[in-house]
Amino acid sequence: MAKLRIPILAAALVARAFAQVDFSGEWSPLYHEDAPERLPGPELGDYTELPINAAARMRADSWDADRISVVEQYQCRPHGSDYSMRGLGNLRVWREIDQTTQKLIAFHTHMLAWDSERVIYMDGRPHPPDYAAHTWQGFSTGAWDGNMLTITTTHLKENYIRRNGVPRSEQAIVTEHWTRHGDYLTVTTVIEDPVFLTEPLVRSDNWFVDPGQHIGIFGCEYAAELPRPEGTVPHHLPGTNPFLKEFAGWYGLPYEATRGGAETLYPEYRSKLGEYKPPEKCERYCTCTTLFNCNLR
Amino acid sequence: MKPAQFVSALLLLGGAVCAQQPAGDVHVLRVQGGIYMVVGGGGNIAVQAGKDGILLVDTGLTELAPKVLAAVRTISDGPVRYILNTHVHADHTGGNEYFVKQGGALNGVPGEPRVIAHLAVQERMAGPPVGNDAPMPRSLWPNDTYSTPFKDFFFNNEPVFVYHAPAAHTDGDSIVLFRRSDVVSTGDIFTPGRYPFIDLQRGGSVQGLIAGLNKILELAVPARYQEGGTYIIPGHGRLCDEADVVEFRDMVTIIRDRVQDSIKKGMTLEQVKSARPSFDYDTQYSGSADAFVESIYKSLKR
Ligand SMILES: [Zn+2]
């Protein structure tokens, strides 16, 4: 009898938690065609594929990269949790399990960029009230949708949807769908921002399991090294940014098509542009698959 | 939309109120150290509570004072010893009289709680009237004014610094630093999510507002990767840290630079307004963009 009972008991104890997947482990990012944007960084004035409104466009046109060095508080400012999926995306995930109940309390993530750590609560707790502080990572809760984990993030600090000054506001709500296919992880991110987007921005990123990955220390220390009058905020006055047309020129694109907006996301927009003539020779970011092999002009 | 008690407070006190918050629920948020933030009573109220009693930075609207007191009583049963007013407006000073009555002796010396504000706050309360506003009743006045660049004292086991920010939101603005708790209370110099109201009639100016914001940045020290560390309680809106003040300071500075450039080109106020120099912030910040731009233009033209 005893011999029979033990396997049955064991089977009950390790019963598969219905519709739950473990994302724990070391994940190495796959950059695919996004490598130029995600590694060396986007071109100035490239707003393609972004459903931005006119306010966001003007904000990006005014943006001056000097702000990152001149404004001390920008020097160690991390990516928001939505953009960090697009940045240097080496990712570690681990589970927090309650010892008493063996229930999943949260997933934790660590990203290479700025050593950012995030908690995705799985225990049904509510989001904080609107008067609570916002953070770079925001406040995330997750729920299972079959084998897919759907995460809702609020309370984000203002950040960017592209690293060339295209803004994402602190009012945005970010929804993520995490799906695991064996050794591959796909995260689809949906950003809804009533301040800067006219429709949701949907992007996806992939990772593969990399048990040998060791994420090093990112580290950052701010310092005022450029003598500027106190309170200087670098920006381009409206109509004076000289760099906005570079991108269209380098890639042989019509300038209007680089300005973003929901219309430019859809195939129908192509017919408006006439025939596309690519530059005769690729001169920029032609071979970019890692941070170190990009063909910089 | 103006809730009924908001309107009546405005009429009774005659002081301008720079922001409308639906009156109703009053909430308490623990900040850090001995500091709490009370929201929903008018302007935000910072509460410092400890063995010596209670210190309040601002007192909210007159009619909401009992609700604010009920919220404060969830933090401490102690007597109110200090009230600091960040500026004159009725949504920050309206509860002064009510809370003075809840007070107790300070350091064993009998008498009313201290009500500290910059001298200009008392001068504005006493009149002469601004526009249609009547002077504010004597019962709301501070009883301990300062007219130096800053004032400090020790209460509840920590140094409290009160800095005057000249000609900012008004001419009597104070920024309060709780040095051990590492919390700054800013009054209406900083209002995340809404355009600043520069009260030109009460001595405000955009230059002073920006200087005040830069002063807050000077006092704040972020923890790792530009987050947390010093917490900032704004005049209205959510709890913040240095990074949020930077966004706001940058917004005011950039729009100021644009208006300044237009003035240099000889543009009139109407021309500047129709050029919409705040266009890329208008979907993010509530309040009148026109009024904000006009207050910048007039500040710079003075
Ligand atoms: Zn005010």
Side-chain angles (χ1 to χ4, degrees):
Chain A
M1 279 301 285
K3 267 183 187 171
L4 271 177
R5 209 178 291 145
I6 288 165
I8 293 165
L9 186 62
L13 289 176
V14 296
R16 186 176 168 79
F18 177 70
Q20 292 201 10
V21 174
D22 187 13
F23 298 100
S24 298
E26 296 284 338
W27 296 95
S28 186
L30 292 162
Y31 295 107
H32 306 301
E33 75 279 11
D34 295 328
E37 180 188 330
R38 293 179 56 184
L39 294 169
E43 309 281 12
L44 295 170
D46 172 8
Y47 313 150
T48 54
E49 302 176 310
L50 302 176
I52 53 174
N53 63 16
R57 191 176 295 114
M58 179 170 166
R59 192 78 76 87
D61 286 353
S62 304
W63 186 77
D64 183 339
D66 274 356
R67 196 152 152 196
I68 301 171
S69 52
V70 172
V71 178
E72 215 172 274
Q73 293 90 349
Y74 271 78
Q75 293 171 2
C76 294
R77 192 175 90 138
H79 294 326
S81 60
D82 48 346
Y83 191 88
S84 74
M85 301 312 248
R86 305 280 299 167
L88 292 169
N90 299 74
L91 166 71
R92 180 186 310 133
V93 184
W94 66 101
R95 292 198 290 188
E96 180 183 341
I97 291 182
D98 181 75
Q99 197 181 18
T100 310
T101 62
Q102 287 299 305
K103 283 195 171 151
L104 178 62
I105 302 293
F107 282 107
H108 291 251
T109 66
H110 177 103
M111 306 289 302
L112 167 60
W114 287 276
D115 305 322
S116 299
E117 297 208 334
R118 177 182 175 204
V119 187
I120 298 148
Y121 290 105
M122 298 298 298
D123 57 358
R125 72 182 67 192
H127 284 240
D130 58 0
Y131 47 86
H134 287 215
T135 60
W136 302 112
Q137 301 302 308
F139 188 91
S140 299
T141 52
W144 295 105
D145 183 359
N147 279 331
M148 183 171 75
L149 174 63
T150 294
I151 301 168
T152 306
T153 302
T154 60
H155 291 74
L156 288 157
K157 279 195 192 295
E158 180 173 339
N159 208 248
Y160 31 75
I161 52 176
R162 187 164 283 165
R163 220 155 13 109
N164 56 5
V166 184
R168 192 267 292 132
S169 85
E170 77 292 346
Q171 295 171 42
I173 295 174
V174 177
T175 307
E176 284 159 84
H177 303 291
W178 288 40
T179 322
R180 182 174 186 157
H181 316 270
D183 286 349
Y184 289 86
L185 169 67
T186 298
V187 176
T188 306
T189 304
V190 182
I191 303 173
E192 288 167 276
D193 185 352
V195 174
F196 293 124
L197 299 178
T198 60
E199 58 182 67
L201 171 63
V202 184
R203 296 192 282 208
S204 65
D205 300 286
N206 294 314
W207 286 260
F208 68 93
V209 167
D210 188 0
Q213 170 176 275
H214 177 77
I215 299 176
I217 297 164
F218 189 82
C220 185
E221 205 177 304
Y222 59 86
E225 291 178 331
L226 299 165
R228 298 280 179 110
E230 194 210 338
T232 299
V233 181
H235 63 97
H236 295 287
L237 288 167
T240 66
N241 188 338
F243 307 112
L244 296 177
K245 292 191 170 168
E246 283 179 347
F247 170 65
W250 286 334
Y251 293 86
L253 296 166
Y255 178 60
E256 325 83 77
T258 66
R259 306 288 289 156
E263 191 195 14
T264 66
L265 269 65
Y266 296 96
E268 294 75 26
Y269 184 68
R270 227 189 151 110
S271 61
K272 270 194 161 181
L273 296 172
E275 203 187 336
Y276 169 61
K277 287 202 190 87
E280 283 183 10
K281 183 167 173 277
C282 176
E283 288 192 272
R284 196 168 164 84
Y285 294 170
C286 306
T287 59
C288 208
T289 53
T290 77
L291 190 53
F292 307 105
N293 69 356
C294 293
N295 174 18
L296 291 169
R297 195 183 185 89
Chain B
M1 198 187 70
K2 289 181 182 179
Q5 59 261 62
F6 172 85
V7 177
S8 57
L10 189 65
L11 293 175
L12 278 173
L13 297 174
V17 181
C18 36
Q20 302 158 31
Q21 216 156 276
D25 291 341
V26 174
H27 302 279
V28 176
L29 184 69
R30 171 92 199 271
V31 181
Q32 64 185 4
I35 311 298
Y36 300 77
M37 176 170 117
V38 173
V39 297
N44 287 334
I45 297 166
V47 180
Q48 185 227 36
K51 64 177 172 51
D52 298 339
I54 293 170
L55 178 156
L56 301 174
V57 182
D58 290 339
T59 54
L61 288 161
T62 303
E63 298 205 6
L64 293 177
K67 281 191 170 180
V68 171
L69 177 65
V72 170
R73 284 295 173 231
T74 66
I75 305 166
S76 167
D77 293 333
V80 175
R81 306 285 198 196
Y82 279 103
I83 292 167
L84 307 182
N85 286 145
T86 59
H87 64 289
V88 64
H89 290 151
D91 53 340
H92 294 260
T93 57
N96 278 6
E97 181 183 8
Y98 183 86
F99 282 99
V100 163
K101 286 183 181 156
Q102 311 300 322
L106 179 67
N107 300 330
V109 182
E112 290 184 336
R114 296 278 172 83
V115 183
I116 297 174
H118 189 268
L119 179 62
V121 171
Q122 186 176 347
E123 289 173 349
R124 291 288 173 193
M125 283 187 173
V130 169
N132 296 324
D133 293 339
M136 290 164 92
R138 203 180 187 94
S139 55
L140 296 178
W141 295 6
N143 57 28
D144 185 4
T145 59
Y146 75 101
S147 51
T148 45
F150 75 97
K151 173 188 178 71
D152 58 37
F153 59 98
F154 198 87
F155 187 63
N156 278 331
N157 206 31
E158 77 172 317
V160 181
F161 285 75
V162 186
Y163 296 95
H164 179 220
H169 171 61
T170 67
D171 55 6
D173 293 331
S174 292
I175 297 165
V176 182
L177 167 68
F178 297 97
R179 198 166 81 175
R180 184 183 294 269
S181 296
D182 199 9
V183 175
V184 175
S185 179
T186 68
D188 286 350
I189 293 170
F190 173 52
T191 53
R194 60 183 81 187
Y195 281 130
F197 167 47
I198 300 171
D199 192 344
L200 297 173
Q201 290 186 298
R202 290 182 181 76
S205 74
V206 73
Q207 299 93 328
L209 188 89
I210 291 173
L213 291 165
N214 285 325
K215 179 70 186 177
I216 297 164
L217 296 180
E218 182 191 313
L219 297 175
V221 180
R224 208 161 174 241
Y225 299 126
Q226 197 58 51
E227 185 155 86
T230 309
Y231 276 93
I232 316 281
I233 298 178
H236 297 264
R238 69 177 189 276
L239 180 65
C240 289
D241 63 15
E242 190 192 41
D244 302 300
V245 183
V246 169
E247 296 293 355
F248 190 86
R249 187 279 310 262
D250 289 4
M251 176 272 290
V252 180
T253 303
I254 288 170
I255 298 172
R256 188 270 321 260
D257 289 352
R258 291 172 182 169
V259 174
Q260 180 77 74
D261 182 62
S262 303
I263 290 173
K264 230 190 283 169
K265 290 176 178 154
M267 288 165 73
T268 64
L269 174 60
E270 284 318 307
Q271 287 170 327
V272 172
K273 276 186 183 172
S274 56
R276 301 190 64 185
S278 67
F279 179 82
D280 51 343
Y281 292 93
D282 288 352
T283 52
Q284 187 173 24
Y285 289 87
S286 64
S288 165
D290 258 9
F292 177 47
V293 169
E294 182 167 335
S295 67
I296 295 174
Y297 185 92
K298 287 183 170 166
S299 296
L300 296 174
K301 275 291 214 180
R302 268 181 191 168

